Amino acid sequence: MLTWKDVINFSVNGNPTPDRRVEKTEDEWKAQLTPEQFRITRQKGTERAHSGALCSIYDEGKYNCVCCTTALFDSTIKFSSGTGWPSFTQPIKENAIKYQRDTSYGMVRVEVMCNTCDAHLGHIFPDGPEPSGLRYCINSESMILDKEMA
């Protein structure tokens, strides 16, 4: 189980090696994604709180990266954080997520990205439920729910 200490270690000393890499040009991403998905995943945008389609859905399945379909989170570790974005306590695999220090907007946070294709997903915070204490705060537009992988 990952802890906040592990997250900080990855963001400072390097991330785990992904199982595979997907790299495309900006034009290829634009052709594949909706304008909102592109803005969020490739330009590090954020959707408005409580606006995402996956925010209040708790169906069984796997939450996959909208860009490369890599499995990121399992529905069994999703929880209602009240923040307005889908929240999870752990990634599906340690090497599914990439962590990077983010100092934008005058704050110090840890950005989370798909470790396969570098898609911006959201941020992680150390205020989640036990036992990990982690809250992965993820944009709905960065994921697709695959109910067949339940």
Side-chain angles (χ1 to χ4, degrees), residues 39-133:
R39 183 184 72 80
I40 289 170
T41 62
R42 309 321 303 179
Q43 297 178 321
K44 300 183 185 291
T46 300
E47 63 199 16
R48 269 185 327 152
H50 304 285
S51 68
L54 299 177
C55 191
S56 58
I57 292 176
Y58 292 89
D59 297 346
E60 289 185 17
K62 304 287 188 261
Y63 290 84
N64 299 340
C65 177
V66 73
C67 295
C68 69
T69 70
T70 295
L72 302 170
F73 302 100
D74 188 274
S75 61
T76 60
I77 47 88
K78 185 177 183 190
F79 71 99
S80 178
S81 66
T83 62
W85 291 275
S87 297
F88 303 87
T89 58
Q90 290 286 302
I92 202 159
K93 290 174 65 176
E94 182 176 286
N95 69 344
I97 302 294
K98 180 177 183 176
Y99 305 89
Q100 182 172 303
R101 187 171 188 250
D102 177 3
T103 58
S104 63
Y105 304 106
M107 298 181 274
V108 178
R109 302 178 290 175
V110 177
E111 177 188 5
V112 289
M113 295 169 282
C114 173
N115 204 18
T116 301
C117 71
D118 298 334
H120 170 75
L121 305 172
H123 291 85
I124 185 169
F125 303 95
D127 61 1
E130 294 300 328
S132 74

Side-chain angles (χ1 to χ4, degrees), residues 2-17 91 93-95 97-101 110 136:
L2 290 175
T3 65
W4 185 245
K5 183 178 177 181
D6 297 320
V7 168
I8 296 302
N9 183 50
F10 286 142
S11 71
V12 172
N13 298 315
N15 289 285
T17 303
K93 290 174 65 176
E94 182 176 286
N95 69 344
I97 302 294
K98 180 177 183 176
Y99 305 89
Q100 182 172 303
R101 187 171 188 250
V110 177
Y136 289 79

